Amino acid sequence: AIRMTQSPSSLSASTGDRVTITCRASQGISSYLAWYQQKPGKAPKLLIYAASTLQSGVPSRFSGSGSGTDFTLTISCLQSEDFATYYCQQYYSYPRLTFGGGTKVEIK
Amino acid sequence: EVQLVESGGGLVQPGGSLRLSCAASGFTFSSYEMNWVRQAPGKGLEWVSYISSSGSTIYYADSVKGRFTISRDNAKNSLYLQMNSLRAEDTAVYYCARDGIAAAGIFDYWGQGTLVTVSS
């Protein structure tokens, strides 16, 4: 199975900060990568797919990049509603999908 | 508006069974692949099972293979997960998720989840 490793597992940031989260795949997955945001007690929400395509309705301060094994999610100017846990997910081995362990973005 | 509503969770003893349901509305259910994804308390997301739009193709995670059965009823716009021989490690919130973008494993809509607790 393809393993997805996210770093850091948590970070503290302030509103207005630029935040970058990294996701590494155990083997090349081309651009078959999605990012999700999850708030406590809620279902995950799709942010980005195909490594860099923004899902409809997602603010443009979110962006994704990368291909192969290394990917990043960037939040250009952190807003209060962005404090959440973020997961990467590979779908290269569809339908056998795997998620990263998550990155919790907390208020500094 | 797309809606997915899970039900059927609850407390069950180890070795017991439970059947989860996911009621879909707001889209043509029979045109979409569907999945179950679970999340143990305080943990990350784990893909559990996939079913094609017609129901003819099914996959399972190794952790549930042989114990869980996914199915769907397109006439009733419903997805199911029959869970047998439940273990403590199956304790989780179970989400149904629509495979909505290019049928490629990108989950554009999720239900609110239903909690399954396996404990004596």
Side-chain angles (χ1 to χ4, degrees):
Chain A
I2 299 174
R3 294 184 310 278
M4 306 301 293
T5 303
Q6 285 183 237
S7 60
S9 56
S10 66
L11 63 91
S12 296
S14 301
T15 303
D17 284 352
R18 181 183 181 89
V19 168
T20 298
I21 297 168
T22 298
C23 179
R24 175 165 288 176
S26 62
Q27 67 181 71
I29 59 169
S30 186
S31 296
Y32 294 96
L33 186 100
W35 289 97
Y36 298 85
Q37 175 194 66
Q38 187 180 34
K39 296 181 179 179
K42 301 293 187 182
K45 172 188 173 183
L46 177 64
L47 298 176
I48 286 169
Y49 60 95
S52 61
T53 301
L54 209 61
Q55 171 67 342
S56 175
V58 174
S60 58
R61 62 181 179 273
F62 290 92
S63 64
S65 65
S67 67
T69 59
D70 294 314
F71 303 85
T72 59
L73 172 70
T74 299
I75 309 172
S76 60
C77 182
L78 199 65
Q79 302 298 300
S80 58
E81 60 266 32
D82 301 335
F83 291 98
T85 300
Y86 294 84
Y87 293 93
C88 62
Q89 174 227 324
Q90 67 80 18
Y91 48 97
Y92 179 84
S93 60
Y94 175 77
R96 299 185 181 280
L97 317 167
T98 47
F99 294 86
T103 296
K104 187 174 184 179
V105 177
E106 299 175 298
I107 302 172
K108 182 182 285 185
Chain B
E1 178 193 6
V2 171
Q3 280 200 313
L4 298 170
V5 179
E6 301 94 338
S7 61
L11 175 63
V12 61
Q13 292 188 338
S17 298
L18 215 52
R19 189 196 197 205
L20 306 183
S21 299
C22 172
S25 61
F27 65 103
T28 305
F29 180 70
S30 60
S31 296
Y32 289 85
E33 285 73 16
M34 297 294 294
N35 292 259
W36 288 97
V37 177
R38 69 184 180 182
Q39 185 171 36
K43 301 298 184 181
L45 300 165
E46 179 188 17
W47 170 77
V48 172
S49 185
Y50 157 96
I51 187 167
S52 63
S53 56
S54 66
S56 61
T57 302
I58 286 171
Y59 292 94
Y60 299 99
D62 289 343
S63 58
V64 306
K65 197 170 186 179
R67 301 186 299 121
F68 289 11
T69 302
I70 191 172
S71 62
R72 65 190 296 161
D73 186 335
N74 286 342
K76 294 184 177 179
N77 292 334
S78 292
L79 175 72
Y80 306 101
L81 186 68
Q82 176 67 43
M83 303 186 296
N84 298 332
S85 303
L86 283 161
R87 306 166 180 167
E89 54 265 35
D90 296 319
T91 294
V93 173
Y94 285 74
Y95 297 100
C96 62
R98 188 180 86 164
D99 196 338
I101 301 176
I106 304 163
F107 302 151
D108 61 346
Y109 284 94
W110 300 61
Q112 86 288 351
T114 188
L115 176 62
V116 173
T117 303
V118 184
S119 176
S120 56

